[in-house]
Amino acid sequence: MKIARFDDNRLGLVEGDQVKDVTAALDILPRVGYPLPLHDPLIAHLDAVCAEIRRLAPNAQALPLAGRTWLAPVANPGKIVAAPVNYQKHLDEAREQVEIHHNNQVIEIQKIGLFLKATSSLVGPSAGVAIEHLDRRNDHEAELVVIIGQGGRNISRANAMRHVAAYTSGLDMTVRGPEERSLRKSVDSYSVLGPWLVTADEIPHPDQMDFSLHVNGELRQKANTRDLILDIPHLIEFASSFYTLRTGDLLYTGTPEGVAQVHPGDVITTSFVGIGDMTVAVRSSK
Ligand code: MN
């Protein structure tokens, strides 16, 4: 099932070139009060929401995909985990280009591990990316994103896929420079997510997914997730050996070669087979 959040916090079922408004399915979510839960309530009740969507869909209003405002499909992730240099050819280009590495030593993911992006950097595709530090190189990074279902600590590789609720696509936008990744990749709007989530049952082979990224129609990145250095089970095992993964946490799995600069006025489009296409406009934050 492809589930979107769109327009004025509507919930949608995406089918072909239409989205059905199934916002009433959210009524089954428990009311929450302060202190707020440390997980995402929609993902925590995803099975029940999906059942309610199936019940509502036959009588739901269908809208064209075109013209919708797409929000991040996970509204309240507890954390955004991200994998650096997780494709060999991107590791190679990062080591070769001073504009990427800025005299930082580019260390293999097995040694440097993972990093976190601020949840305040999360936006949906229609919000677009607002470039900060226009004097610096600001790059696109297309990435498959895993949405964690059941949480856990010290999850083994063998059990890891049971903890995946859904997939979506993402942009790990990046200001190049000498600072820590978590700072340079946590600028407001630098974690794009969408255009909708796809439940894990519809993606039987996330480890064989073709995807690409274009800027203004020009191909920049083209890869397949089979070339991940650390695959999804390994990333989940690695992350959960340091901290508890919670329901709704996002895992950006890393970007392949072809990262390059974007400028205000550019339009980024990503295409992930089995998920769909995402269009993101770039502007200046000023
Ligand atoms: Mn990245």
Side-chain angles (χ1 to χ4, degrees), residues 14-74:
V14 176
E15 291 180 332
D17 59 0
Q18 291 186 322
V19 57
K20 288 182 172 173
D21 188 330
V22 290
T23 306
L26 294 174
D27 292 345
I28 68 152
L29 297 184
R31 299 266 169 189
V32 296
Y34 187 84
L36 300 174
L38 298 174
H39 61 262
D40 184 275
L42 172 60
I43 305 303
H45 299 275
L46 191 58
D47 288 347
V49 170
C50 287
E52 190 67 359
I53 288 173
R54 275 187 214 100
R55 193 180 71 78
L56 294 166
N59 297 312
Q61 183 189 14
L63 301 161
L65 295 186
R68 303 275 75 78
T69 297
W70 302 104
L71 310 174
V74 182

Side-chain angles (χ1 to χ4, degrees), residues 83 115 141 143 172 185 254-255:
F115 65 97
E141 295 191 354
E143 310 199 1
D172 171 23
K185 293 166 172 277
T255 203

Side-chain angles (χ1 to χ4, degrees), residues 36-150:
L36 300 174
L38 298 174
H39 61 262
D40 184 275
L42 172 60
I43 305 303
H45 299 275
L46 191 58
D47 288 347
V49 170
C50 287
E52 190 67 359
I53 288 173
R54 275 187 214 100
R55 193 180 71 78
L56 294 166
N59 297 312
Q61 183 189 14
L63 301 161
L65 295 186
R68 303 275 75 78
T69 297
W70 302 104
L71 310 174
V74 182
N76 297 105
K79 57 183 168 295
I80 303 175
V81 181
V85 288
N86 201 18
Y87 288 82
Q88 184 62 44
K89 288 179 184 171
H90 174 54
L91 175 62
D92 296 341
E93 75 180 352
R95 284 176 165 166
E96 285 163 9
Q97 297 180 38
V98 67
E99 315 86 72
I100 296 180
H101 63 65
H102 279 265
N103 297 317
N104 286 334
Q105 196 183 356
V106 184
I107 302 167
E108 299 88 345
I109 185 170
Q110 294 92 335
K111 293 179 185 164
I112 199 169
L114 305 169
F115 65 97
L116 293 171
K117 289 165 71 77
T119 52
S120 54
S121 66
L122 185 67
V123 293
S126 296
V129 168
I131 297 290
E132 200 65 67
H133 301 291
L134 283 166
D135 54 327
R136 300 242 207 132
R137 185 169 144 175
N138 285 266
D139 283 9
H140 55 74
E141 295 191 354
E143 310 199 1
L144 175 65
V145 181
V146 173
I147 302 171
I148 297 296
Q150 184 191 341

